[in-house]
Amino acid sequence: MSTNQVTALMDEMAVFVCVVEAGSFSAAARQLGSTPSAVSRAIARLEKGLGTRLLHRTTRKLGLSESGTQVYGHCRDMLGSAQAALAVSGQLHDTPQGQIRVSVPKAVGRFVVHPHMPDFLAQYPHIDLLMRLDDRYVDLIDGQIDIALRITDQPPPGLMGKRLFDIRHLVCATPAYLARHGTPSHPGDLSQHSCIYLGEEPGDARWKFRHDGKTVSVDVQGRYAANHTGVRLDAVLRHLGIASLPYFTAKEALQQGALVRVLPDWTFQTQYCGALWALYPPMRRLPAKLRVFIAFLAERLADDPR
């Protein structure tokens, strides 16, 4: 097996050690902040790469095969050597260095995180960033991700994290559009307007608002829908209608007066509202590169309303 092949399987080897020591795929998944299916796929990739079966699977327990016993010993030695090497270099404790693989929702990555990354890279010249912008759920093991930025009420089981800031949504329009078509005074008035919405699911055209403990839903319609925040922002700035946008996207246009809030006394409710967390698998001590990245984001975003 070539060096490249060995390197490609190192993550799977670490997962294999965790499975053996945890006693099951589900227990290993909880420790790694992943899912049992993702752990199972990692073991399957390792078995395929090594060309041998490592585990005997039954409905009640897992057992090591003869070759699995030998492979486990070598993999455990590999992890021990890696930890020793990291301790010597100071990467775990003192010197922030290496690559950070970050998963982040598209709009948050483009409008919130990316603008601060030049300063981060300048401040930490020995750290490289690989940022994957994707609105879909990304498993930290399957996706080989160090940190996932996700909108959630609290860290899911098996993950640790730090709350960064709250994301809120609003509806807005240009003064020119409202002068031409009128300004809604109640959510029900939106049914008579051209609304620019997400358009991924039927429920995206059903907008919900809350005011003084009362919730109101309205089915909106319009000639333009787009599942990209930047496109919806551009569309509303071109006077195509009233748009639903996260505040961080519309903030600059609102400050400049190019946009105004519609129904400012009502709170717009959507599944994309909530807290943004930096999530990572539980570990005894965060590597320095992850520790400084999370601290940097928390400091930059703490006082900037979203």
Side-chain angles (χ1 to χ4, degrees):
M1 180 176 291
S2 68
T3 301
N4 288 341
Q5 289 174 304
V6 172
T7 302
L9 291 173
M10 281 186 174
D11 287 344
E12 283 75 10
M13 292 177 183
V15 173
F16 174 56
V17 171
C18 187
V19 168
V20 174
E21 296 181 352
S24 69
F25 288 171
S26 58
R30 287 193 294 271
Q31 292 182 22
L32 295 168
S34 185
T35 62
S37 60
V39 170
S40 178
R41 289 192 294 271
I43 299 302
R45 288 194 297 271
L46 181 60
E47 290 180 330
K48 182 178 180 180
L50 297 178
T52 185
R53 179 169 291 279
L54 303 174
L55 296 168
H56 296 304
R57 301 165 176 80
T58 69
T59 56
R60 294 184 177 181
K61 64 179 182 178
L62 294 176
L64 283 168
S65 66
E66 182 178 352
S67 58
T69 301
Q70 298 180 46
V71 171
Y72 167 71
H74 292 304
C75 289
R76 192 70 192 86
D77 291 344
M78 177 200 73
L79 284 181
S81 297
Q83 290 167 353
L86 289 173
V88 170
S89 69
Q91 185 171 340
L92 279 176
H93 306 292
D94 302 318
T95 306
Q97 58 182 293
Q99 186 184 70
I100 302 176
R101 298 163 296 187
V102 184
S103 172
V104 58
K106 291 178 182 177
V108 174
R110 171 63 184 88
F111 291 97
V112 178
V113 178
H114 167 69
H116 298 291
M117 291 304 94
D119 288 346
F120 177 80
L121 293 171
Q123 186 172 339
Y124 297 99
H126 300 296
I127 293 180
D128 298 332
L129 282 175
L130 192 163
M131 192 158 65
R132 297 177 180 170
L133 284 73
D134 198 328
D135 292 331
R136 297 172 300 175
Y137 175 87
V138 178
D139 186 276
L140 272 68
I141 291 180
D142 266 3
Q144 296 184 326
I145 295 299
D146 297 309
I147 294 177
L149 303 185
R150 293 178 184 159
I151 302 171
T152 181
D153 293 332
Q154 59 184 5
L159 291 179
M160 298 179 67
K162 182 174 181 60
R163 184 176 181 143
L164 297 176
F165 64 87
D166 291 328
I167 294 176
R168 57 192 177 100
H169 281 238
L170 48 80
V171 292
C172 53
T174 60
Y177 173 87
L178 296 176
R180 188 178 306 119
H181 300 281
T183 300
S185 59
H186 185 274
D189 298 338
L190 291 170
S191 62
Q192 304 303 315
H193 283 265
S194 176
C195 294
I196 306 165
Y197 53 94
L198 186 65
E200 289 184 331
E201 301 175 0
D204 293 334
R206 187 168 183 81
W207 288 1
K208 296 180 180 180
F209 297 83
R210 188 170 182 81
H211 177 61
D212 288 341
K214 179 182 179 181
T215 299
V216 174
S217 298
V218 57
D219 292 322
V220 301
Q221 58 184 346
R223 298 181 59 202
Y224 199 31
N227 67 344
H228 190 284
T229 303
V231 172
R232 294 201 306 280
L233 173 63
D234 185 71
V236 69
L237 288 171
R238 292 173 182 265
H239 320 296
L240 295 183
I242 298 175
S244 65
L245 293 169
Y247 173 71
F248 63 75
T249 304
K251 180 176 66 173
E252 183 176 347
L254 288 167
Q255 292 172 344
Q256 294 173 350
L259 292 180
V260 295
R261 285 194 64 179
V262 175
L263 301 170
D265 295 331
W266 292 79
T267 300
F268 185 70
Q269 296 186 308
T270 170
Q271 61 178 323
Y272 303 105
C273 290
L276 185 77
W277 286 73
L279 302 175
Y280 50 88
M283 53 188 76
R284 193 173 305 170
R285 183 179 174 88
L286 271 177
K289 62 180 182 179
L290 304 187
R291 192 167 64 249
V292 298
F293 181 73
I294 293 172
F296 177 89
L297 286 180
E299 180 182 359
R300 284 297 181 97
L301 305 177
D303 300 323
D304 193 2
R306 300 294 170 178

